[in-house]
């Protein structure tokens, strides 16, 4: 929605779409988060009957709720950056937050500090928090009017190159098809020349005299008419009679 609005020259609509998405996150996400934090044991029993897994899920539930909340806000931020044509920043932040922070921190807490699954989850939550905060800061700094102008310029540039390319291809196709069409058309010859059929008919005449050529054409047409007549049903009986 953000990209469509910017490409249509409506920066205010793009900003409104981003704000609406954030409001939806704030309104909807607290419901599943409350279920995760409030009834973790009941939720775990929907998927497993193991008491050990249930106890572990109860310990991880607060971290899971935080991760889900940050991830929902991050989805809005990433969508906004993509709509503004700033996907490179989303990719860079994801790489730095995950590879540079959350993964080493999770491994250090989980195995180095001996916190186990809780340490692994805590490390990823910290990385997700940093990633989400940085992305939202970039979204807050978006100059919507300038982004809309850049989007319109990209659309105009791409549309112009597409039209030029289409015209070039059409001209090339017509140029290539013209010799084939001329060769495959028995009644056509080079510009300014007589039709090939008429030339073949006139070749039966003698000399260049116009009357002689006309007579030759008439004789050839008479022969064609006789051939058609003999080829029709009952023509043999007609010829014998």
């Amino acid at each position: 929605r953000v990209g469509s609005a910017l490409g249509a020259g409506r920066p205010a609509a793009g900003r409104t779409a981003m704000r609406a998405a954030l409001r939806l996150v704030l309104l909807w996400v607290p419901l599943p988060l409350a279920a995760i934090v409030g009834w973790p044991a009941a939720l775990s029993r929907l998927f497993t009957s193991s008491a050990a897994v249930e106890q572990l899920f109860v310990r991880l539930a607060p971290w899971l709720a935080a991760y889900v909340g940050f991830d929902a806000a991050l989805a809005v931020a990433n969508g906004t950056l993509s709509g503004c044509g700033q996907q490179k920043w989303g990719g860079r932040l994801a790489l730095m937050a995950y590879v540079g922070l959350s993964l080493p921190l999770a491994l250090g807490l989980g195995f180095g500090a001996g916190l186990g699954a809780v340490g692994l989850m805590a490390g990823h939550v910290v990385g997700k928090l940093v990633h989400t905060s940085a992305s939202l800061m970039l979204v807050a700094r978006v100059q919507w009017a300038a982004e809309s102008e850049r989007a319109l310029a990209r659309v105009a540039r791409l549309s112009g190159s597409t039209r030029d390319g289409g015209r070039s291809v059409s001209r090339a196709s017509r140029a290539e098809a013209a010799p084939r069409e001329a060769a495959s058309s028995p009644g056509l010859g080079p510009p300014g020349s007589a039709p090939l059929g008429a030339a073949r008919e006139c070749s039966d005449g003698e000399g260049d005299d116009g009357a002689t050529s006309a007579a030759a054409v008439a004789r050839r047409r008479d022969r064609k008419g006789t051939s058609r007549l003999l080829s029709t049903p009952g023509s043999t009986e007609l010829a014998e009679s």
Side-chain angles (χ1 to χ4, degrees), residues 7 18 30 68 112 157 175 186 195 232:
M18 181 272 296
V68 170
R157 183 173 63 253
T232 58

Side-chain angles (χ1 to χ4, degrees), residues 3 10 31 87 90 128 145-146 169 172 184 198 209 221:
R10 298 184 298 157
L31 299 178
Q87 296 92 333
K128 182 66 67 174
V169 171
S184 62
D209 184 73
R221 290 176 177 172

Side-chain angles (χ1 to χ4, degrees), residues 177-188:
R180 292 195 298 267
E181 293 177 356
S184 62
S185 300
L188 297 177

Side-chain angles (χ1 to χ4, degrees), residues 12-220:
R15 182 173 58 248
T16 300
M18 181 272 296
R19 292 176 176 175
L22 282 178
R23 291 190 181 100
L24 287 176
V25 167
L26 294 176
L27 290 174
W28 162 248
V29 170
L31 299 178
L33 298 188
I36 292 173
V37 175
W39 301 278
L43 289 176
S44 67
R45 284 194 292 270
L46 295 176
F47 304 96
T48 182
S49 58
S50 172
V53 174
E54 179 180 333
Q55 293 175 3
L56 179 60
F57 184 78
V58 171
R59 294 171 58 198
L60 295 177
W63 297 103
L64 177 61
Y67 188 94
V68 170
F70 295 147
D71 192 58
L74 178 61
V76 176
N78 281 338
T80 302
L81 293 176
S82 297
C84 294
Q86 302 295 332
Q87 296 92 333
K88 62 181 180 180
W89 285 109
R92 291 171 182 175
L93 290 176
L95 188 64
M96 290 186 292
Y98 179 73
V99 178
L101 179 60
S102 67
L103 184 59
L105 182 59
L107 293 176
L109 293 175
F111 298 100
L115 296 178
V118 174
L120 292 174
M121 193 70 185
H124 285 296
V125 168
V126 172
K128 182 66 67 174
L129 172 61
V130 172
H131 189 187
T132 302
S133 300
S135 298
L136 289 176
M137 288 176 62
L138 287 178
V139 170
R141 295 168 60 87
V142 167
Q143 301 295 324
W144 295 96
E147 293 296 339
S148 180
E149 292 177 0
R150 279 194 286 268
L152 290 172
R154 285 193 297 268
V155 170
R157 183 173 63 253
L158 293 175
S159 300
S161 62
T162 302
R163 286 196 298 270
D164 293 341
R167 285 197 295 268
S168 299
V169 171
S170 299
R171 286 194 294 267
S173 301
R174 287 196 296 269
E176 292 177 0
R180 292 195 298 267
E181 293 177 356
S184 62
S185 300
L188 297 177
S193 65
L196 297 181
R200 284 196 298 267
E201 290 180 349
C202 291
S203 65
D204 290 346
E206 297 178 357
D208 296 328
D209 184 73
T212 304
S213 299
V217 170
R219 287 196 301 271
R220 185 174 180 84

